[in-house]
Amino acid sequence: MIQKKSTRVRKEEIVQAALEVVGGKGVRALTIAAIAATAGMSEANIYRHFGGKEEIFSALADFIGSSVMGKAATIAAGSRKPLEKLETIFFSHIAIIAEHPGIPRFVFSEDVLLGHPILAKTLNARIGNYMETIAGVIDAGIHEGELKQGISPRETALTLLGMIQFTALRCTVGGHACDIDAEAKKLWINFLTLVR
Amino acid sequence: MIQKKSTRVRKEEIVQAALEVVGGKGVRALTIAAIAATAGMSEANIYRHFGGKEEIFSALADFIGSSVMGKAATIAAGSRKPLEKLETIFFSHIAIIAEHPGIPRFVFSEDVLLGHPILAKTLNARIGNYMETIAGVIDAGIHEGELKQGISPRETALTLLGMIQFTALRCTVGGHACDIDAEAKKLWINFLTLVR
DNA sequence: ATATCATGCGAATAAGTATTCACATGGAGC
DNA sequence: GCTCCATGTGAATACTTATTCGCATGATAT
């Protein structure tokens, strides 16, 4: 029998274990058994702290949302120049993905998007906010003359997000070695060439 | 009992049914039962024509690869101007995704990328070729003066692919209505502003 | 016409999954 | 030290899924 801990602590451990499972083997492998094994506890104990798998999914979504997506808003609200903000947002997003491959995998997983409609709606809204935050920064950059005239903030933000997501996808797949940081750097330099 | 047909015909029907299932409910829902129901035959009959699920996955990957990815190469080999080629490739890719949402879902699904390593390797190689094809067209565009100097063909190709993939992802998710053709058009116009 | 064999199917099997339950236990408060 | 309840667990349950098997049948070659 493992040491007893409070539900508050166990919940965090379970969510972290779930994120680890997703990062390592995908949402498909996110079974109660896998979470229990990773967290080092029995399957039944999972149910002592969560009502079921749905609740774990929600908790994971909350964790990702509050700890990650909020960061961009903070950066965007800062006082630096738009292009600098954009760069910071881009590279912190990449860093987070590199450290927790489970995050993009969870957010863009079929299981969530097709299997948990309510969660999908929440996550979609968050992505929408994220996109608007970036679009706002781009818009400011255009008006301040850092970015060239004529580009559309919304579409450019989508382009940037697509770039990030595609890189995450390509790099978090085993088989072909892929240095996500190096890739990101090259993509960013090229992005600068495109938007200026 | 349904009408008897040759294995060759049944294989095609099964692959098409599989693609339909993926397009409608995702790779997660790609069960033998779902394929059988969609194709209008018994589950046992599936095994009359395919050795197992692995073989169906391979056949689906072959179908997608040969019928879709090859199109870009054909366009690229044509005699039109680079920018025109790029536009044609972009919009035919979008059209194919709009018609068969199962294609991007399958190619970028966790189940394939993490659960079928051999298939993942094959598909990765195909995506790599696709990317190089596009990079080649972009390179030509730069040299012919249609695209601005200084941009990197490879990274710009990745940006374009990311744009397509991100749009496909956002639009093939139920909940928020999303006109993929309209989105694509806006993204393309903005892309032109970026690369010229 | 009929024999044959590829094609088709219902039922059974085996493995995996989420969830529940009866019982164990250890730490916090007395 | 004792009690009690939150925490922890192995076993049981109900369901899904992939796969196999014995048997049915109908198209086709002779």
Side-chain angles (χ1 to χ4, degrees):
Chain A
M1 181 111 65
I2 68 176
Q3 194 191 351
K4 288 188 179 180
K5 293 182 190 173
S6 74
T7 284
R8 207 188 59 77
V9 173
R10 284 291 184 226
K11 276 193 165 182
E12 283 175 18
E13 290 179 2
I14 290 167
V15 168
Q16 287 306 310
L19 187 57
E20 197 180 325
V21 171
V22 176
K25 296 184 282 180
V27 182
R28 180 92 186 236
L30 189 57
T31 64
I32 300 295
I35 298 172
T38 303
M41 64 183 73
S42 70
E43 297 178 43
N45 198 25
I46 302 277
Y47 289 91
R48 196 55 83 189
H49 307 294
F50 282 102
K53 219 182 164 185
E54 291 281 333
E55 269 188 29
I56 299 176
F57 268 61
S58 290
L60 190 48
D62 282 347
F63 171 78
I64 291 173
S66 65
S67 76
V68 176
M69 306 276 197
K71 184 173 276 188
T74 308
I75 296 170
S79 59
R80 285 178 295 176
K81 303 189 101 180
L83 203 48
E84 215 181 324
K85 287 180 185 174
L86 218 52
E87 181 171 356
T88 309
I89 292 173
F90 177 81
F91 283 106
S92 34
H93 193 143
I94 292 288
I96 289 169
I97 286 173
E99 196 188 356
H100 298 291
I103 289 177
R105 227 175 248 170
F106 182 80
V107 174
F108 295 112
S109 78
E110 241 180 32
D111 295 74
V112 173
L113 299 178
L114 297 177
H116 300 251
I118 299 166
L119 217 52
K121 210 173 163 189
T122 308
L123 287 171
N124 258 314
R126 268 194 214 275
I127 294 171
N129 285 340
Y130 192 62
M131 196 256 291
E132 277 166 31
T133 300
I134 294 176
V137 176
I138 291 173
D139 198 41
I142 297 169
H143 284 96
E144 295 185 19
E146 280 193 325
L147 305 181
K148 72 179 175 188
Q149 299 289 322
I151 63 176
S152 156
R154 181 175 172 279
E155 275 64 44
T156 307
L158 284 176
T159 303
L160 189 66
L161 284 176
M163 219 165 81
I164 295 174
Q165 209 260 321
F166 195 60
T167 305
L169 196 63
R170 288 197 321 123
C171 285
T172 58
V173 169
H176 69 122
C178 177
D179 180 350
I180 190 167
D181 291 315
E183 279 294 321
K185 202 166 285 182
K186 285 192 284 184
L187 281 168
W188 176 254
I189 290 170
N190 190 57
F191 182 75
L192 282 180
T193 311
L194 292 173
V195 296
R196 286 199 288 207
Chain B
M1 182 113 63
I2 67 176
Q3 194 191 351
K4 289 189 180 181
K5 295 182 190 173
S6 74
T7 283
R8 207 189 58 77
V9 173
R10 284 291 184 224
K11 276 192 166 183
E12 284 174 18
E13 290 179 0
I14 290 166
V15 169
Q16 287 307 309
L19 187 58
E20 196 180 326
V21 171
V22 176
K25 294 184 284 180
V27 182
R28 181 89 187 239
L30 189 59
T31 65
I32 300 295
I35 298 173
T38 303
M41 64 184 73
S42 70
E43 297 178 44
N45 198 25
I46 301 277
Y47 289 91
R48 199 51 88 190
H49 307 294
F50 282 103
K53 219 181 163 184
E54 290 282 331
E55 269 188 28
I56 298 176
F57 267 61
S58 290
L60 189 48
D62 282 347
F63 171 77
I64 291 173
S66 66
S67 75
V68 175
M69 305 278 198
K71 183 171 277 188
T74 308
I75 296 169
S79 60
R80 285 178 296 176
K81 303 191 100 179
L83 202 48
E84 213 181 325
K85 286 181 185 175
L86 218 51
E87 181 172 357
T88 309
I89 291 173
F90 177 81
F91 284 106
S92 31
H93 193 141
I94 292 287
I96 289 169
I97 286 174
E99 196 189 355
H100 298 291
I103 289 177
R105 230 175 244 171
F106 182 80
V107 173
F108 295 112
S109 78
E110 241 180 32
D111 295 74
V112 173
L113 298 179
L114 298 177
H116 300 249
I118 300 166
L119 217 52
K121 211 174 163 188
T122 309
L123 287 171
N124 258 314
R126 268 193 215 274
I127 293 171
N129 285 340
Y130 192 62
M131 197 255 292
E132 277 166 31
T133 301
I134 294 175
V137 176
I138 291 173
D139 198 41
I142 297 169
H143 283 98
E144 295 185 20
E146 279 193 326
L147 305 181
K148 72 179 174 188
Q149 299 288 322
I151 65 176
S152 157
R154 181 174 173 280
E155 275 64 44
T156 306
L158 285 176
T159 302
L160 188 66
L161 284 178
M163 219 165 81
I164 294 173
Q165 210 260 322
F166 195 61
T167 305
L169 197 61
R170 289 196 322 123
C171 286
T172 59
V173 168
H176 68 121
C178 176
D179 180 349
I180 191 166
D181 291 315
E183 278 294 319
K185 200 166 286 181
K186 285 191 285 182
L187 281 169
W188 176 254
I189 290 170
N190 191 56
F191 182 75
L192 283 180
T193 310
L194 291 173
V195 295
R196 285 199 288 207

